[in-house]
């Protein structure tokens, strides 16, 4: 892929956000760690340096050699990047006397500068640094200031090198997207060619080249990623794609049947395997969350492997891996926490000896949805909330029984259908119900009850890494709670989880 943008990552929490903003401009970009600058830079038309938790003055700070980049490719240095360029090129970076965090406004913008085209004075920007640039590097020209930060933006005379101390990628920098557009399109001349259509055409073509007449097996989960991967592969290789959709008995109410139907309607060559009993058996008596995950993971591999062996001469295993799973992360505080061990990335048992094909490995989640829409996949399927691989098993605290699964499925269905009816479903990132291992006293009619408590959880988030509980209308909660207690036998109390992540997590286990 030509016409690329290279983002050099110095470990900022916002690096992926820069990439997403660039992609929103229909421009392809890749994130590479600062210590692994690609040897061949010929396909990159612009380079962006990310921020970093380090101080340029620190001993551990990243100090990469940029001589292959500067003066050769247009460069935009953000935050740490801006300080790095200044510090080693005749400027001066010092600890700031005042806090430079949060909202600020560009009180002065130099006239006629292409980087600030269509950006008004007073534009709000987001600052997040403890060092500040006291003196610009040699040939530096100041482009913008805030009331507290004199050198909020500069360029270096005689080269296409720009630097800003604020973060254009965050939502609070109101003209951040315009600034990135100015840099990438007007200054660097990058074309806006990265569209869902272009991706679909290119990927189908690549998949055909790669796979030829070989057979591919793919595990569908009902989620967006595996569905989009399957439809892409189906377009590329048709009946040579064999999909397996496993019912682990821990899905939502009626989900197995309805999703399997949808898959068949899409023309996918899919086999539904009801392995509920096998999963329940493997979970018997296990209460520990990680124990449940391990039991489910192992059973899934066994079931999948049995099914895959029914297909003669299969060569490839397709997976719905997406870009955040493959970005090599910079280790700032020990091993990165970005990829959680419990997330089912990889999962290929050695003995299957299949080659892996991952058609979505360059896409962010929002791009997967856009590609899905381009492929004509049903909106409802594309808009589904994320659902964990171990399903309801990690929403039933304590051990799992068929009866507990049934109760939780009923509660969950009332909650989720209610969200849809009240037009709240699309406003929520993820929602579900949790069955607590607690009985509490209640009264129904003249009788005293001693039954289960369920918790409802609804969160807003962008990627699941941080999340906040959703302020659902009281009327909705009231109605939902009534319906659950009236309709679901065995439940006499409903509570709403009002914890944010961190410090809580989204799932209770
Ligand atoms: P937590 O609970 O860690 O969840 O805040 C963040 C996101 O990850 C999902 N999740 C999982 N997904 N296997 C999965 O495929 C798992 O074991 C698992 N545990 C949590 C969770 O639903 C949320 O979207």
């Amino acid at each position: 892929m030509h016409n690329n943008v290279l983002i050099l990552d110095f470990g900022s929490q916002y690096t992926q956000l820069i990439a997403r903003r660039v992609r929103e401009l229909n421009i392809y970009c890749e994130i590479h760690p600062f210590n692994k600058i690609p040897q061949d830079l010929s396909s990159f038309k612009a380079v962006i340096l990310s921020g970093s938790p380090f101080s340029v003055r620190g001993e551990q700070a990243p100090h990469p050699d940029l001589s292959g980049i500067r003066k050769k490719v247009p460069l935009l240095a953000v935050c740490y990047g801006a300080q790095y360029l200044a510090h080693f090129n005749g400027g001066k970076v010092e600890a700031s006397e005042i806090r430079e965090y949060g909202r600020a406004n560009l009180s002065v913008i130099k006239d006629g500068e292409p980087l600030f085209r269509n950006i008004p004075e007073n534009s709000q920007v987001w600052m997040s640094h403890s060092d500040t640039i006291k003196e610009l590097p040699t040939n530096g020209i100041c482009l913008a200031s805030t009331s507290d930060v004199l050198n909020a933006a500069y360029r270096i005379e005689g080269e296409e090198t720009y630097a800003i101390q604020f973060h254009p990628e965050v939502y609070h920098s109101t003209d951040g997207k315009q600034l990135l557009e100015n840099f990438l399109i007007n200054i660097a001349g990058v074309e806006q060619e990265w569209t869902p259509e272009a991706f679909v055409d290119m990927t189908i073509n690549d998949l055909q080249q790669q796979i030829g007449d070989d057979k591919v097996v793919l595990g569908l989960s009902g989620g967006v990623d595996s569905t989009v991967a399957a439809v892409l592969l189906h377009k590329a290789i048709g009946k040579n794609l064999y999909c397996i959709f496993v019912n682990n008995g821990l899905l939502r109410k009626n989900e197995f049947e309805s999703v399997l139907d949808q898959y068949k309607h899409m023309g996918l060559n899919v086999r539904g395997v009801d392995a509920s009993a096998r999963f329940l058996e493997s979970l018997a008596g296990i209460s520990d969350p990680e124990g449940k995950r391990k039991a489910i993971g192992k059973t899934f591999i066994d079931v999948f492997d049995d099914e895959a062996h029914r297909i003669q001469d299969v060569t490839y295993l397709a997976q719905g891996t997406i870009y955040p799973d493959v970005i090599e992360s910079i280790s700032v505080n020990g091993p990165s926490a970005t990829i959680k061990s419990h997330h089912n990335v990889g999962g290929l048992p050695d003995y299957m000896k299949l080659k892996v094909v991952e058609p979505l490995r360059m896409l962010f989640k929002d791009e997967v949805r856009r590609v899905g829409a381009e492929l004509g996949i049903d909106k409802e399927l594309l808009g589904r909330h994320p659902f964990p691989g171990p399903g309801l098993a990690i929403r039933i605290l304590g051990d799992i029984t068929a009866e507990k699964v049934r109760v939780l499925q009923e509660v969950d269905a009332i909650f989720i259908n209610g969200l849809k009816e009240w037009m709240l479903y699309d406003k929520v990132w993820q929602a579900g119900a949790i069955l607590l291992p607690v009985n509490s006293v209640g009264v129904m009619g003249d009788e005293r009850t001693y039954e289960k408590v369920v918790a409802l959880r609804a969160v807003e988030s962008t990627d699941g890494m941080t999340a906040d509980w959703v302020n659902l209308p009281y009327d909705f909660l009231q109605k939902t709670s009534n319906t659950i207690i009236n309709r679901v036998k065995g439940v006499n109390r409903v509570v709403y989880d009002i914890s944010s992540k961190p410090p809580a997590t989204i799932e209770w286990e």
Side-chain angles (χ1 to χ4, degrees):
M1 186 99 194
H2 288 273
N3 203 27
N4 288 355
V5 173
L6 168 64
I7 298 172
L8 277 191
D9 182 23
F10 292 105
S12 161
Q13 57 173 329
Y14 298 132
T15 305
Q16 287 197 27
L17 212 46
I18 302 180
R20 281 166 55 186
R21 293 286 170 268
V22 173
R23 299 268 186 103
E24 277 169 18
L25 293 168
N26 291 335
I27 292 173
Y28 181 73
C29 59
E30 288 175 10
I31 298 175
H32 290 258
F34 72 89
N35 51 359
K36 291 192 185 159
I37 300 179
Q39 297 261 310
D40 178 10
L41 289 168
S42 59
S43 68
F44 294 105
K45 285 196 153 176
V47 176
I48 298 177
L49 307 183
S50 86
S52 173
F54 288 103
S55 157
V56 278
R57 296 168 298 116
E59 276 182 19
Q60 303 290 318
H63 292 161
D65 173 12
L66 299 178
S67 56
I69 293 174
R70 267 189 66 189
K71 299 191 184 170
K72 299 188 173 108
V73 190
L75 177 66
L76 176 67
V78 175
C79 195
Y80 176 91
Q83 294 168 353
Y84 178 58
L85 284 185
H87 188 61
F88 288 100
N89 293 285
K92 196 187 257 179
V93 175
E94 286 177 358
S96 172
E97 294 109 38
I98 44 164
R99 284 167 60 83
E100 295 181 4
Y101 290 99
R103 289 183 183 80
N105 295 84
L106 296 177
S107 46
V108 183
I109 297 178
K110 188 169 179 297
D111 279 342
E113 286 295 329
L115 189 66
F116 285 92
R117 198 183 63 108
N118 290 340
I119 299 182
E121 236 158 57
N122 261 326
S123 175
Q124 179 179 293
V125 293
W126 186 260
M127 296 279 182
S128 179
H129 49 98
S130 48
D131 278 359
T132 197
I133 300 172
K134 283 279 183 236
E135 282 171 30
L136 291 179
T138 315
N139 298 330
I141 298 173
C142 180
L143 302 184
S145 314
T146 70
S147 56
D148 292 333
V149 182
L150 177 64
N151 296 312
Y154 67 86
R155 68 177 165 85
I156 298 183
E157 178 84 271
E159 51 187 280
E160 285 181 313
T161 297
Y162 292 82
I164 48 184
Q165 285 205 85
F166 54 88
H167 288 272
E169 66 276 18
V170 307
Y171 168 79
H172 302 285
S173 290
T174 37
D175 294 297
K177 194 166 174 193
Q178 179 70 52
L179 187 139
L180 289 172
E181 189 178 322
N182 290 342
F183 171 68
L184 292 170
I185 299 167
N186 301 322
I187 295 171
V190 185
E191 313 262 347
Q192 293 170 285
E193 294 172 336
W194 178 251
T195 59
E197 291 129 277
F199 173 83
V200 168
D201 288 348
M202 180 188 80
T203 307
I204 290 179
N205 196 16
D206 288 353
L207 289 170
Q208 286 166 340
Q209 303 288 328
Q210 183 187 356
I211 300 167
D213 291 329
D214 286 341
K215 289 184 185 171
V216 178
V217 62
L218 176 146
L220 283 167
S221 69
V224 177
D225 302 342
S226 65
T227 305
V228 174
V231 174
L232 264 175
L233 277 154
H234 177 71
K235 294 229 183 234
I237 62 166
K239 291 285 173 212
N240 275 345
L241 172 70
Y242 292 76
C243 300
I244 298 171
F245 181 35
V246 176
N247 184 6
N248 57 13
L250 302 158
L251 303 175
R252 296 198 138 109
K253 187 180 174 186
N254 297 333
E255 180 164 69
F256 180 64
E257 297 76 14
S258 73
V259 174
L260 188 58
D261 248 22
Q262 272 177 300
Y263 283 144
K264 286 185 175 154
H265 271 106
M266 287 179 206
L268 294 178
N269 175 11
V270 55
R271 209 179 121 71
V273 184
D274 187 358
S276 313
R278 201 161 155 185
F279 278 89
L280 262 186
E281 231 165 80
S282 74
L283 282 166
I286 303 180
S287 298
D288 170 60
E290 288 310 304
K292 291 180 190 176
R293 286 190 169 87
K294 287 210 178 86
I296 292 168
K298 183 180 176 309
T299 310
F300 182 81
I301 287 170
D302 292 348
V303 172
F304 192 82
D305 198 40
D306 288 353
E307 291 304 317
H309 274 109
R310 291 162 169 258
I311 309 161
Q312 297 289 307
D313 307 323
V314 65
T315 317
Y316 285 95
L317 174 75
Q319 294 191 319
T321 316
I322 64 171
Y323 197 41
D325 300 330
V326 297
I327 294 170
E328 226 185 302
S329 37
I330 307 273
S331 175
V332 177
N333 299 312
S336 161
T338 333
I339 299 175
K340 297 189 190 176
S341 62
H342 65 238
H343 283 212
N344 315 321
V345 186
L348 173 67
D350 279 342
Y351 53 88
M352 279 178 68
K353 302 276 186 282
L354 296 177
K355 290 192 252 180
V356 175
V357 55
E358 297 173 318
L360 310 178
R361 62 181 280 118
M362 296 324 286
L363 299 188
F364 286 107
K365 191 88 181 181
D366 40 337
E367 293 178 303
V368 176
R369 291 211 168 89
R370 284 170 67 199
V371 166
E374 174 68 28
L375 290 166
I377 298 174
D378 188 56
K379 263 211 190 99
E380 205 188 315
L381 222 165
L382 291 178
R384 296 178 80 190
H385 291 171
F387 188 68
L392 300 181
I394 54 168
R395 295 184 181 169
I396 294 173
L397 273 56
D399 69 326
I400 317 270
T401 62
E403 176 57 12
K404 289 183 188 172
V405 173
R406 189 199 62 75
V407 169
L408 188 57
Q409 279 178 335
E410 295 300 328
V411 173
D412 177 80
I414 292 170
F415 184 35
I416 298 296
N417 292 338
L419 286 170
K420 287 181 181 160
E421 274 163 31
W422 286 60
M423 311 295 259
L424 293 164
Y425 185 85
D426 292 334
K427 300 196 174 108
V428 169
W429 190 76
Q430 187 172 17
I434 300 101
L435 184 68
L436 306 189
V438 179
N439 280 38
S440 83
V441 174
V443 276
M444 283 194 196
D446 290 332
E447 289 197 21
R448 213 177 109 100
T449 59
Y450 188 55
E451 292 177 332
K452 286 276 172 292
V453 185
V454 291
L456 305 181
R457 180 112 168 103
V459 296
E460 45 198 33
S461 175
T462 45
D463 51 14
M465 300 300 287
T466 60
D468 207 353
W469 59 280
V470 180
N471 211 327
L472 292 175
Y474 280 170
D475 289 352
F476 169 75
L477 289 172
Q478 186 180 37
K479 172 94 179 32
T480 307
S481 153
N482 269 345
T483 314
I484 290 170
I485 295 174
N486 286 336
R487 297 232 191 108
V488 187
K489 218 170 151 250
V491 174
N492 68 354
R493 196 176 291 269
V494 178
V495 297
Y496 186 53
D497 182 349
I498 53 167
S499 330
S500 64
K501 171 183 180 175
T505 49
I506 296 175
E507 305 295 346
W508 280 41
E509 286 198 335

